Amino acid sequence: MKHEAILVLDFGGQYNQLIARRVREHNVFCEVLPYTVSIDRIREGGYKGIIFTGGPSSVSAADSPRCDQAVFELGVPILGICYGAQLMSVMLGGQVQRPEKREYGKTDVCVNSASKLFHDVSSETTCWMSHTDHIHEMPEGFSRTAWTDTCPVAGMENTAQNYYAVQFHPEVMHTPEGSKMLRNFLYEICDVSGDWVMSTFVEDSIKKLREKIGDRKVLCALSGGVDSSVAAVMIHKAVGKQLTCIFVDHGLLRKDEGDNVERVFKQQFDMNLIRVNAQKRFLDKLAGATESEQKRKIIGEEFIRVFEEEAKKIGTVDYLVQGTIYPDVIESGVGDAAVIKSHHNVGGLPDDVDFKGIIEPLRDLFKDEVRKAGLELGIPGDLVWRQPFPGPGLAIRVIGDITEEKLFILREADAIFREEVKKNGLGRDIHQYFAVLTGIRSVGVMGDERTYDYTIALRGVTTTDFMTAEWARIPYDVLDIVSRRIVNEVRNVNRIVYDITSKPPATIEWE
Ligand code: XMP
């Protein structure tokens, strides 16, 4: 069954993913494509509506991003947001202007509640503004639906054509009635029925996978992370033991993690799981490596080699499973981000395994949707709500060279920290938290003795997308217990520090 879909046309704004998520929260499937996408591709999509996103450019600039003028001939409702609103105005013959003052932050906006977009919205409502230009003259056929003290046209519509535009951002939570506005656009203007429901999606996917795979063999690299776990269980539900999972234990996992992964997938799901105990192999390769990129590279490469060797033992497989999720797929094509770290996802593509095709059952899902699908499939909550854990594992949380002794210290300290955070009910609010074994040793005193031991750093962050993050305000009492427990229970540690830097300028991981 093909779902109804909305297209989010991406002009490079920072909230574009959020718009897509919001649409899907209203049970409507949604795709994000760069503004450069061809009109034929848009036509093929059969979208029920299009949303133009915000973006950093000024529409008045000569090289400002523009979509194909033909989108206005599709007969599909369009909602322009911020840059998207200005663009709609200019492309249809209106004008924008740069006022003296830039409008930024929470703003009181008056709206005309008779507009379908603002149905059931208070006539004076708070919205999040962030713009330099604003619409000065509306195109013909449009009427004004919202305004502020300084922005004469904060919203406009052409009901005959079903074109709507807002200068503010309805998708962010600082616009409390924004969700209602998006819902109005979807249900009142695009006339969707809301057929995107997780249980149906999971059932449909299992059915489709069964048809596609038939009696063929499938191979999956399981890391124990949310994405690969959900992908594997979904395929297992479809074709059972035709799926073999390879779990490479590189010895850089957290305390008891390898055993837990094995237990869940072998015992609970009765899956064909091969655990490869490659700890020594990885440690040998890492010996002497001190630089973070060098460590990442060694682990990435070794992972592929181990995986290939195991896969060879199984013989020819037909399909390889990838836990790719939607944000990995979107090539917005708008702007190039600088490479800060070479991310390695355990489960990356091996170059020497014989297979006919790749299966990516989560390609259409956002992270929170992957979690919902996981719960739907009966995966334990602990695993579904697992915080992100990097492919290179503890190797990038031990600063400098890696030894078994250092990994042991870090594992113990990290387990105490995580246990206390959970015990104090903070597990869901802090999105990622872990310990780091810094390369620093310093002087301490224990009993009457001088010590010269390691410093453990604790890191906790809150974030929505892991691109930016705030350091988590963990209560002092909790930090205090953690600190005492670590120095008392873990040998060779005599000092604990808490990392209070945001990202940027720091990154979440220390390496
Ligand atoms: P940074 O440290 O760049 O991390 O702020 C952002 C998020 O990405 C995770 N991370 C990785 N994940 N392979 C992964 O699969 C990697 O090499 C890697 N490095 C960082 C990090 O844990 C955080 O969630």
Side-chain angles (χ1 to χ4, degrees):
M1 178 183 105
K2 189 166 174 355
H3 294 278
E4 297 168 334
I6 293 289
L7 170 64
V8 170
L9 209 51
D10 182 357
F11 290 93
Q14 52 179 326
Y15 304 125
N16 301 349
Q17 292 269 350
L18 204 53
I19 299 175
R21 260 185 60 179
R22 294 280 178 260
V23 170
R24 291 161 73 143
E25 279 166 11
H26 289 300
N27 300 331
V28 183
F29 183 66
C30 163
E31 282 189 87
V32 184
L33 293 175
Y35 70 90
T36 47
V37 67
S38 76
I39 194 70
D40 291 340
R41 168 71 181 79
I42 297 180
R43 256 191 219 109
E44 277 162 27
Y47 302 104
K48 299 276 286 184
I50 301 177
I51 300 178
F52 290 179
T53 75
S57 318
S58 163
V59 235
S60 333
D63 56 352
S64 62
R66 296 202 176 200
C67 54
D68 195 320
Q69 186 81 28
V71 291
F72 294 106
E73 286 149 29
L74 296 171
V76 173
I78 302 178
L79 169 65
I81 295 176
C82 196
Y83 176 85
Q86 296 159 17
L87 184 73
M88 179 188 285
S89 173
V90 169
M91 286 180 78
L92 295 176
Q95 277 183 17
V96 300
Q97 193 183 51
R98 174 155 299 187
E100 267 173 36
K101 245 178 65 194
R102 166 167 193 246
E103 210 170 10
Y104 183 82
K106 281 187 189 172
T107 311
D108 290 330
V109 179
C110 298
V111 306
N112 176 356
S113 307
S115 162
K116 274 188 186 171
L117 191 67
F118 299 128
H119 180 192
D120 216 16
V121 172
S122 332
S123 53
E124 227 180 275
T125 184
T126 305
C127 297
W128 183 258
M129 290 279 193
S130 169
H131 62 105
T132 352
D133 298 340
H134 64 210
I135 298 167
H136 168 60
E137 220 171 88
M138 291 181 284
E140 219 182 288
F142 277 76
S143 56
R144 179 171 89 153
T145 55
W147 57 96
T148 74
D149 287 347
T150 48
C151 182
V153 184
M156 63 176 191
E157 68 184 14
N158 177 331
T159 51
Q161 305 272 16
N162 266 333
Y163 297 153
Y164 293 78
V166 286
Q167 184 54 71
F168 50 83
H169 290 274
E171 68 277 20
V172 303
M173 60 185 186
H174 306 297
T175 303
E177 295 192 276
S179 172
K180 228 185 263 176
M181 299 171 196
L182 288 174
R183 190 182 172 81
N184 286 339
F185 178 66
L186 300 171
Y187 286 83
E188 310 238 342
I189 298 164
C190 301
D191 200 24
V192 298
S193 63
D195 63 1
W196 174 254
V197 188
M198 193 46 73
S199 54
T200 331
F201 172 80
V202 168
E203 268 168 44
D204 279 359
S205 304
I206 294 176
K207 214 161 82 204
K208 272 192 236 149
L209 285 166
R210 198 172 288 141
E211 279 162 20
K212 175 168 178 172
I213 298 168
D215 58 0
R216 289 182 278 267
K217 281 211 268 180
V218 189
L219 185 65
C220 173
L222 195 68
S223 67
V226 185
D227 303 343
S228 68
S229 301
V230 175
V233 173
M234 197 180 262
I235 292 181
H236 176 71
K237 295 253 170 177
V239 298
K241 298 251 164 144
Q242 283 162 246
L243 167 71
T244 305
C245 293
I246 297 179
F247 167 46
V248 178
D249 184 345
H250 51 21
L252 304 163
L253 298 171
R254 292 168 293 184
K255 192 175 177 180
D256 299 332
E257 201 163 20
D259 295 345
N260 285 340
V261 170
E262 194 171 350
R263 205 185 49 242
V264 169
F265 295 102
K266 258 194 175 156
Q267 287 175 13
Q268 185 183 337
F269 287 105
D270 190 27
M271 279 163 69
N272 235 340
L273 174 81
I274 300 170
R275 175 174 178 178
V276 191
N277 289 311
Q279 293 92 331
K280 177 155 182 343
R281 198 168 154 168
F282 277 85
L283 267 188
D284 287 349
K285 283 272 173 187
L286 283 166
T290 53
E291 208 268 319
S292 77
E293 280 302 298
Q294 189 191 9
K295 291 194 280 186
R296 281 167 187 276
K297 217 164 151 233
I298 293 172
I299 295 163
E301 278 172 16
E302 196 58 14
F303 181 87
I304 303 276
R305 296 290 91 77
V306 174
F307 185 77
E308 282 169 357
E309 284 172 27
E310 286 305 315
K312 282 228 171 79
K313 291 184 197 160
I314 298 171
T316 312
V317 291
D318 300 283
Y319 292 109
L320 197 68
V321 181
Q322 292 278 298
T324 321
I325 69 172
Y326 196 57
D328 306 333
V329 177
I330 300 170
E331 339 137 278
S332 96
V334 184
D336 282 321
V339 177
I340 311 291
K341 297 176 186 182
S342 57
H343 274 212
H344 145 67
N345 286 307
V346 169
L349 213 52
D351 26 47
D352 193 25
V353 174
D354 251 347
F355 58 90
K356 296 189 187 118
I358 292 177
I359 298 187
E360 298 173 309
L362 312 179
R363 246 186 107 80
D364 286 339
L365 301 188
F366 285 92
K367 193 79 182 185
D368 49 335
E369 294 171 329
V370 173
R371 293 203 162 102
K372 274 193 209 151
L375 292 172
E376 202 67 55
L377 287 160
I379 300 177
D382 272 8
L383 212 158
V384 165
W385 288 104
R386 189 181 186 266
Q387 50 168 314
F389 185 65
L394 300 184
I396 56 168
R397 294 180 182 171
V398 169
I399 308 301
D401 73 314
I402 304 195
T403 62
E404 220 158 327
E405 187 212 5
K406 287 183 185 173
L407 286 171
F408 178 79
I409 294 173
L410 177 59
R411 249 185 223 117
E412 295 299 314
D414 182 68
I416 292 173
F417 183 34
R418 286 189 294 127
E419 187 188 319
E420 289 298 334
V421 167
K422 274 201 198 136
K423 212 198 278 174
N424 286 280
L426 302 169
R428 289 271 179 97
D429 301 333
I430 306 174
H431 302 112
Q432 201 171 358
Y433 50 100
F434 52 87
V436 175
L437 183 73
T438 70
I440 296 172
R441 296 174 80 187
S442 68
V443 176
V445 55
M446 215 176 250
D448 292 330
E449 303 248 335
R450 173 187 195 272
T451 58
Y452 189 66
D453 279 327
Y454 287 112
T455 298
I456 285 279
L458 305 174
R459 179 81 162 136
V461 296
T462 55
T463 171
T464 48
D465 55 7
F466 298 89
M467 307 284 283
T468 62
E470 257 303 314
W471 59 275
R473 271 46 171 186
I474 299 179
Y476 284 170
D477 291 349
V478 177
L479 288 173
D480 186 48
I481 295 171
V482 176
S483 163
R484 284 170 199 275
R485 280 196 58 194
I486 294 177
V487 285
N488 282 322
E489 296 173 35
V490 187
R491 283 180 55 167
N492 298 112
V493 177
N494 67 355
R495 197 177 290 275
I496 312 290
V497 297
Y498 185 53
D499 182 345
I500 54 164
T501 22
S502 301
K503 171 184 180 177
T507 51
I508 296 173
E509 304 286 348
W510 276 36
E511 285 203 329

